[in-house]
Amino acid sequence: ALIACLVFHEYGHIRAMKYFGMKTKGIYLIPFLGGAAVTDEKINTRWQDVAISMMGPCFGLFLSVILILLYEVTGAPILAGLAVFNALLNLFNLLPVLPLDGGHVLKSISFSMNSTLGIVLCVAAAGGGIILSYSLGLYLFSFLLGVGSLEILMEWRTRHNSHLLPLDRYGQIFSGVWYAVLVSSLIAIIWYFGTTGDEAMRMPLKILQS
């Protein structure tokens, strides 16, 4: 069932690639690492990078919502369990660590900002996420968020060597809000079942609190 959730996530990437007219080779499952949606074509703009990266976790969120609705109708615990573990899977994929989806999103935003103020604001936003995560007791998430932010900051120095067309100011704001809403929604699912569900459904929240 979790593999099916992973494939559904990767299918979101495939749909985004097809939307941009890119030819896809399919979905590859990599043991102990996850999956990958593969194309032979190059991404030409930062917006394409953001949209393709975000659609995987978006499909993951849609699947968790569907599973929660089915759980409310049927009362089958396995549906709630899949919803929360699927949310955890997609949340980790949004960490700002390359080559995860979150790393691509935040890199596209920060690399599109040509001023020092831009990268300062990006780092400040990441810092706010770290503080919020720590205050909620999500220690593992806050630690990985910090590591990923440092990685993005270091790669920012080489942003001018990229061939990708950068995001405009509207694209930067839209991408940042999209990312924040998606992360918050997945955390909300994990938090809800972590405080109201049985022992198995509390496990994802305990992982984030470890």
Side-chain angles (χ1 to χ4, degrees):
L2 287 174
I3 291 176
C5 292
L6 178 63
V7 171
F8 197 82
H9 168 104
E10 297 299 334
Y11 182 69
H13 295 312
I14 292 289
R15 292 306 308 168
M17 291 175 183
K18 289 184 178 295
Y19 175 82
F20 289 114
M22 303 169 65
K23 295 181 180 179
T24 58
K25 295 181 65 176
I27 298 172
Y28 291 81
L29 297 179
I30 307 170
F32 308 110
L33 293 177
V38 180
T39 177
D40 285 331
E41 301 188 34
K42 290 184 178 181
I43 294 174
N44 298 312
T45 67
R46 293 289 184 191
W47 170 242
Q48 288 180 348
D49 197 16
V50 168
I52 291 172
S53 298
M54 288 288 284
M55 285 310 295
C58 273
F59 267 57
L61 175 61
F62 296 154
L63 180 59
S64 283
V65 171
I66 292 172
L67 290 169
I68 291 172
L69 293 176
L70 291 175
Y71 167 69
E72 294 295 333
V73 173
T74 65
I78 189 174
L79 296 175
L82 281 175
V84 68
F85 275 96
N86 180 62
L88 179 66
L89 173 71
N90 285 275
L91 179 62
F92 269 103
N93 211 260
L94 284 171
L95 286 170
V97 180
L98 296 172
L100 298 180
D101 294 332
H104 283 282
V105 172
L106 291 189
K107 185 175 76 169
S108 291
I109 296 173
S110 60
F111 284 24
S112 297
M113 297 177 177
N114 294 320
S115 65
T116 302
L117 177 61
I119 191 62
V120 169
L121 291 175
C122 190
V123 172
I130 294 172
I131 295 173
L132 179 61
S133 298
Y134 189 83
S135 65
L136 294 174
L138 308 178
Y139 305 118
L140 178 60
F141 189 74
S142 61
F143 172 74
L144 293 175
L145 192 65
V147 172
S149 300
L150 290 175
E151 183 179 4
I152 296 296
L153 182 61
M154 289 186 290
E155 288 207 17
W156 183 74
R157 298 178 180 180
T158 63
R159 68 194 184 283
H160 296 300
N161 297 328
S162 174
H163 71 283
L164 299 179
L165 183 68
L167 296 164
D168 58 18
R169 185 59 55 85
Y170 171 77
Q172 295 167 20
I173 295 173
F174 180 84
S175 300
V177 172
W178 188 7
Y179 178 84
V181 169
L182 189 53
V183 169
S184 300
S185 299
L186 293 169
I187 290 179
I189 292 173
I190 295 171
W191 191 273
Y192 174 77
F193 284 102
T195 55
T196 62
D198 61 21
E199 187 63 27
M201 285 182 274
R202 296 191 188 105
M203 192 180 301
L205 181 59
K206 289 183 177 180
I207 291 173
L208 294 182
Q209 294 175 330
S210 63

